[in-house]
Amino acid sequence: MDPQGDTEDLGLGAVARRRAASARERADRAEATARRHELLAAQPGREFHAQIARTHRRTAECHRASARLQDSFALRASAWTGERDTRPRFMTVVAEACGTGSAAVSLLDTEQNQLAFAVSDQRSRAAQDLEYVLGEGPGQDAASQRRPVRVSGAGIEARWPGYGPSLISLGIASVAAVPLRTRDSCIGSLTVFDPRPAVARPARLAEVAAALTRIVLLDPDADPDLYGGTDIRATVHQATGMLSVMLGCSVADALALIKARAFAEEVSPDTVARRIVHGDRKLM
């Protein structure tokens, strides 16, 4: 079933509750399979079943975490009055599950180019835009290195000389990021931001990231759009192509020019891109 059409037909809350129920059913099946292999592992010469059982236990835990996120979103969505400005964001419950107020997820292609992103609030949106424009930050490090990143205080500026000072100016004192990993690849990263010096607990962040990976990619009812909360930088890609043709430069150089203008003017790259698409010739 198409996730977007499903959401429009049934309503956000109803869809979230159905997905939560499906996640719990998958968790029950994984746990049942784990129990069978645990029994087999107790037999002489069949110890390898213990590893299979542990794999299914981890899968079940991931499905449970996914169900909790869906349940939390269902509560918010059920209270939504339908006004566009108050539409609930799935990333808000992701941030809460991580123990912070601001979170962003970035979805990447195999060459680490950002395909889409979703945020919980304006602070995480500003931080995500900065990372996209400057080409450095916790999300990119976590995805490219495929390992967790945790930085706070003065370490933020020391690690990212360009990104760090701007991040601190947003009132952020600590940041943590983890990769969104599949069996063979990494599809992006989850980053949390906090005005407090303490960062989210690594175990909790890893659990939420694993659940989020299933929600956006691996589950039968996967929803990369996150209930309409995912932004695709389509306008930026369109403007980059236009600028490349008009200036006779490479696409990479055109994108770099858009990002540079966005940083200089302290606006989002989408704002600069919209001006180009609508006929602004300042960059041409």
Side-chain angles (χ1 to χ4, degrees):
M1 182 179 291
D2 174 58
Q4 185 63 35
D6 190 16
T7 301
E8 292 175 353
D9 292 341
L10 299 179
L12 295 177
V15 173
R17 285 190 293 273
R18 181 181 60 74
R19 290 175 178 168
S22 295
R24 283 190 288 271
E25 290 174 2
R26 289 191 286 270
D28 291 342
R29 290 196 295 270
E31 288 173 349
T33 301
R35 287 193 294 271
R36 289 197 298 272
H37 284 283
E38 286 164 352
L39 291 174
L40 291 171
Q43 300 176 16
R46 310 190 75 176
E47 292 80 6
F48 68 92
H49 283 280
Q51 178 59 44
I52 299 174
R54 286 192 291 271
T55 299
H56 284 284
R57 287 290 181 190
R58 288 194 295 270
T59 299
E61 291 170 2
C62 188
H63 286 311
R64 298 284 182 207
S66 174
R68 288 192 291 271
L69 290 175
Q70 299 284 5
D71 281 332
S72 295
F73 183 73
L75 289 174
R76 287 179 173 271
S78 296
W80 183 41
T81 62
E83 297 179 10
R84 182 179 297 274
D85 292 342
T86 62
R87 184 185 179 92
R89 298 184 183 188
F90 189 79
M91 286 303 298
T92 300
V93 303
V94 169
E96 291 175 349
C98 293
T100 187
S102 297
V105 63
S106 179
L107 303 180
L108 309 174
D109 64 16
T110 55
E111 297 180 350
Q112 300 296 303
N113 298 309
Q114 188 183 84
L115 299 176
F117 68 98
V119 298
S120 63
D121 60 350
Q122 289 304 311
R123 174 178 282 165
S124 54
R125 171 64 190 249
Q128 184 61 49
D129 280 343
L130 279 170
E131 185 163 350
Y132 178 69
V133 165
L134 297 174
E136 65 175 17
Q140 291 200 19
D141 285 0
S144 62
Q145 300 168 15
R146 299 193 182 184
R147 63 181 179 84
V149 172
R150 301 176 64 200
V151 188
S152 62
I156 294 176
E157 291 185 81
R159 178 158 183 159
W160 303 293
Y163 173 81
S166 297
L167 190 69
I168 290 174
S169 72
L170 296 175
I172 295 170
S174 63
V175 61
V178 289
L180 302 182
R181 301 188 63 173
T182 64
R183 184 186 301 273
D184 302 315
S185 65
C186 175
I187 65 169
S189 59
L190 168 65
T191 308
V192 294
F193 312 91
D194 206 294
R196 300 166 296 179
V199 295
R201 292 190 312 215
R204 179 185 294 182
L205 197 57
E207 177 186 81
V208 174
L212 193 58
T213 302
R214 300 207 68 88
I215 289 170
V216 301
L217 180 68
L218 302 178
D219 281 345
D221 52 0
D223 178 20
D225 194 42
L226 293 178
Y227 297 97
T230 299
D231 289 311
I232 300 173
R233 296 194 189 273
T235 305
V236 174
H237 297 315
Q238 181 183 0
T240 298
M242 292 174 60
L243 203 58
S244 173
V245 170
M246 294 182 178
L247 295 182
C249 64
S250 69
V251 170
D253 286 344
L255 179 58
L257 188 56
I258 291 173
K259 290 180 176 181
R261 177 56 63 91
F263 184 71
E265 296 184 3
E266 297 185 348
V267 297
S268 74
D270 301 86
T271 298
V272 175
R274 282 194 296 271
R275 294 208 305 258
I276 295 171
V277 170
H278 293 150
D280 189 333
R281 296 294 188 268
K282 290 181 181 179
L283 293 179
M284 302 177 187

